[in-house]
Amino acid sequence: MLKQAAVITLLGLSSATFAGGWQVKVGASAIAPSGESDLAGGKVPNVEASNELAFTPSVEYFFADTPFSAELLLATPTSHDVEAGSVKIASLKQLPPTLTVKYNFKNSTRFTPYVGVGATAFIPWDVEGKGPLSASKVDADTAYGVAGQVGFAYQPKDAKNWGVYVDARYADINTDITVDGNDAGSLDVNPWVYTLGYSYKF
């Protein structure tokens, strides 16, 4: 239900015919998966993906005369180790494109807090078995989920178009894992993404 509501909201706002402005953002992010799963019917417990750093550019569109905007996160490919306890059992690369509709709390200061909700994807490739699974064929499915966002933008006094921002995103997402073609269960990724970056508005 949450996924359907997010998609309907995004489609509704993206079809609006407001004249607005564009902003590009360049950030550095810490990607911290928070999920932990038991795979293979509980035989492989405490499986989780590793924390990583990533370059995370994004594009944002502001709907004129409204506090709303839409932001598309376009992160570069990120590599993760998949570990069961302290044992590495796989590695993969993934892209996490995320689209959020944001409400910007405009005020008389140079700080603009915002919150957002939307949808995200987990697009894996180069999945390889490691350690005890090094001789096995390991695969992970593309998955979709709901994302939330909270942060603030700051525009310095002498800046016309540029500024800085800090935000955090959370995505509720998991991917199905197979080993040698057999279903091994679902890996909860559920990442937090913490970002510090620079913005330029056209």
Side-chain angles (χ1 to χ4, degrees):
M1 182 63 70
L2 286 175
K3 294 180 182 180
Q4 292 173 344
V7 170
I8 291 171
T9 301
L10 291 171
L11 290 175
L13 285 176
S14 64
S15 65
T17 56
F18 296 116
W22 291 93
Q23 178 171 259
V24 293
K25 303 169 75 173
V26 179
S29 297
I31 301 178
S34 63
E36 187 175 282
S37 307
D38 295 336
L39 300 182
K43 296 178 182 178
V44 185
N46 306 322
V47 180
E48 56 187 353
S50 63
N51 298 343
E52 301 294 337
L53 298 177
F55 172 62
T56 49
S58 62
V59 179
E60 186 168 8
Y61 180 77
F62 290 87
F63 298 97
D65 301 323
T66 80
F68 294 100
S69 62
E71 182 177 359
L72 177 62
L73 177 69
L74 299 167
T76 54
T78 304
S79 298
H80 293 274
D81 292 329
V82 180
E83 300 174 338
S86 60
V87 179
K88 185 190 297 185
I89 59 173
S91 66
L92 58 83
K93 296 178 182 178
Q94 61 100 4
L95 280 174
T98 303
L99 179 63
T100 51
V101 173
K102 297 164 57 179
Y103 184 90
N104 302 279
F105 296 89
K106 298 180 180 180
N107 56 76
S108 59
T109 74
R110 296 186 177 277
F111 288 89
T112 305
Y114 54 80
V115 295
V117 64
T120 188
F122 179 86
I123 305 173
W125 76 96
D126 280 356
V127 184
E128 297 181 358
K130 300 291 183 180
L133 296 181
S134 58
S136 300
K137 179 176 174 55
V138 181
D139 285 313
D141 286 345
T142 296
Y144 304 92
V146 176
Q149 181 182 18
V150 61
F152 69 85
Y154 174 72
Q155 186 176 31
K157 184 177 180 180
D158 298 328
K160 286 186 71 173
N161 300 91
W162 68 273
V164 295
Y165 68 96
V166 176
D167 67 23
R169 290 179 172 86
Y170 176 78
D172 182 6
I173 197 165
N174 55 69
T175 178
D176 292 333
I177 304 295
T178 59
V179 178
D180 294 328
N182 299 310
D183 181 17
S186 181
L187 174 63
D188 292 330
V189 183
N190 302 342
W192 285 94
V193 181
Y194 305 100
T195 305
L196 171 65
Y198 169 93
S199 62
Y200 187 89
K201 193 171 184 179
F202 295 93

